[in-house]
């Protein structure tokens, strides 16, 4: 969270943070013989999704909002694994990697433009200065909140459906918490966009005079990730969670 932004993007999207979910999925044969442990995993995952989403509502640091959203999405993956839907958990893990890397690198682009300023309260009015960064942050945020037919929708929606359709006490419990967490996710994503790009300028004049769009070496990876955030969920859904899949 406090590290350099490209490192944050790598850790939160692909490596350290998500290793626990991958391990749960690899241990699925063991967990199938321990239903009580699976129930515990389900409940802990649901509570994590809810707690991290409520924490993200109140953060003012641009990267901390995105970091707590990672924690919330990991809660979804964990309670999906607890409900024995390991393939859906892995599907959300792989989908989440694209839009979370996009959001972190987009945040890096904003921080770079504003001379390393991370406090959203000192931003605003960046829509005219950083139009490309705004578009990719909008795509990443919509994918994160599960906007229909973007990448996040295909896995997040299925996780909530599985929780609702499990007809167990813990399933209903995590479905309720997950639905609230999804609402909070939409709220803090829109708050991030509004405070950073849409409201009147609230920052230092000297900083804003030097604000600029990132160079090609930073914007090209953002463009690739934005395409992935739009289409990967649709393209890979039958491979990962369809009826005839090997997963």
């Amino acid at each position: 969270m406090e590290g350099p932004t490209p490192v944050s993007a790598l850790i939160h999207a692909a490596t350290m943070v998500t290793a626990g979910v991958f391990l749960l999925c690899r241990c699925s044969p063991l967990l199938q013989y321990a239903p009580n442990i699976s129930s515990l995993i389900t409940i802990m995952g649901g509570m994590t999704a809810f707690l991290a989403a409520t924490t993200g509502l109140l953060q003012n640091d641009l990267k901390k909002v995105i970091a707590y959203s990672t924690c919330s999405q990991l809660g979804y993956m964990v309670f999906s694994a607890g409900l024995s839907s390991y393939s859906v958990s892995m599907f959300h893990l792989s989908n989440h990697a694209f839009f979370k890397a996009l959001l972190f690198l987009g945040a890096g682009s904003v921080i770079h433009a504003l001379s390393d300023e991370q406090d959203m309260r000192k931003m605003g009015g960046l829509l005219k200065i950083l139009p490309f960064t705004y578009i990719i942050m909008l795509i990443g945020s919509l994918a994160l909140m599960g906007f229909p037919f973007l990448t996040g929708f295909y896995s997040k929606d299925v996780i909530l459906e599985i929780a609702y359709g499990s007809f167990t006490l813990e399933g209903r419990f995590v479905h309720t918490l997950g639905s609230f967490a999804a609402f909070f996710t939409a709220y803090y994503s829109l708050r991030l966009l509004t405070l950073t790009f849409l409201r009147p300028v609230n920052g230092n004049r000297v900083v804003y005079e030097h604000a600029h769009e990132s160079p090609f070496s930073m914007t090209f990876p953002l463009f690739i990730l934005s395409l992935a955030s739009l289409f990967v969920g649709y393209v890979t859904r039958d491979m990962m969670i369809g009826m005839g899949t090997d997963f």
Side-chain angles (χ1 to χ4, degrees):
M1 202 187 291
E2 305 297 340
T5 308
V7 178
S8 303
L10 187 64
I11 288 173
H12 283 256
T15 52
M16 184 182 79
V17 173
T18 50
V21 177
F22 181 72
L23 188 65
L24 281 177
C25 295
R26 289 302 299 251
C27 294
S28 56
L30 292 173
L31 294 175
Q32 288 304 100
Y33 286 106
N36 292 340
I37 298 299
S38 290
S39 297
L40 180 66
I41 290 170
T42 306
I43 290 165
M44 294 300 285
M47 289 165 67
T48 302
F50 182 78
L51 177 74
T54 52
T55 312
L57 290 174
L58 303 170
Q59 298 299 316
N60 293 312
D61 186 313
L62 181 63
K63 280 172 67 180
K64 283 188 181 179
V65 174
I66 304 171
Y68 278 112
S69 97
T70 304
C71 194
S72 181
Q73 297 308 303
L74 286 169
Y76 280 96
M77 298 171 210
V78 168
F79 80 66
S80 174
L83 293 167
S84 301
S85 300
Y86 305 102
S87 58
V88 181
S89 184
M90 285 301 294
F91 185 44
H92 194 48
L93 177 66
S94 60
N95 286 351
H96 172 259
F98 294 110
F99 53 79
K100 191 47 57 79
L102 180 67
L103 282 169
F104 262 114
L105 293 176
S109 183
V110 172
I111 292 164
H112 175 71
L114 295 182
S115 307
D116 299 331
E117 179 59 68
Q118 290 186 212
D119 193 334
M120 293 192 296
R121 293 169 296 186
K122 296 179 184 175
M123 296 180 186
L126 289 175
L127 176 57
K128 292 176 182 173
I129 305 170
L130 309 173
F132 178 78
T133 303
Y134 170 69
I135 290 167
I136 62 105
M137 289 288 277
L138 179 64
I139 291 170
S141 296
L142 289 173
L144 171 65
M145 53 176 105
F147 191 80
F149 312 115
L150 269 64
T151 290
F153 164 77
Y154 287 102
S155 48
K156 197 172 183 178
D157 218 53
V158 171
I159 288 176
L160 289 172
E161 285 167 21
I162 285 167
Y164 186 75
S166 65
F167 299 110
T168 58
L169 194 62
E170 61 265 24
R172 287 295 169 88
F173 176 71
V174 296
H175 173 260
T176 305
L177 289 185
S179 299
F180 276 117
F183 173 75
F184 292 146
T185 302
Y187 179 83
Y188 64 63
S189 298
L190 290 172
R191 175 176 175 264
L192 181 147
L193 289 169
T194 305
L195 288 180
T196 309
F197 294 100
L198 301 176
R199 65 168 188 168
V201 174
N202 200 31
N204 189 323
R205 180 178 173 177
V206 177
V207 170
Y208 269 78
E209 282 174 349
H210 293 97
H212 57 280
E213 192 65 85
S214 298
F216 179 77
S217 60
M218 287 173 72
T219 53
F220 182 66
L222 292 174
F223 174 69
I224 298 296
L225 286 167
S226 65
L227 290 180
S229 300
L230 288 169
F231 302 117
V232 160
Y234 175 74
V235 171
T236 60
R237 63 194 174 136
D238 284 333
M239 183 186 85
M240 296 284 280
I241 60 171
M243 292 300 286
T245 175
D246 291 337
F247 279 80

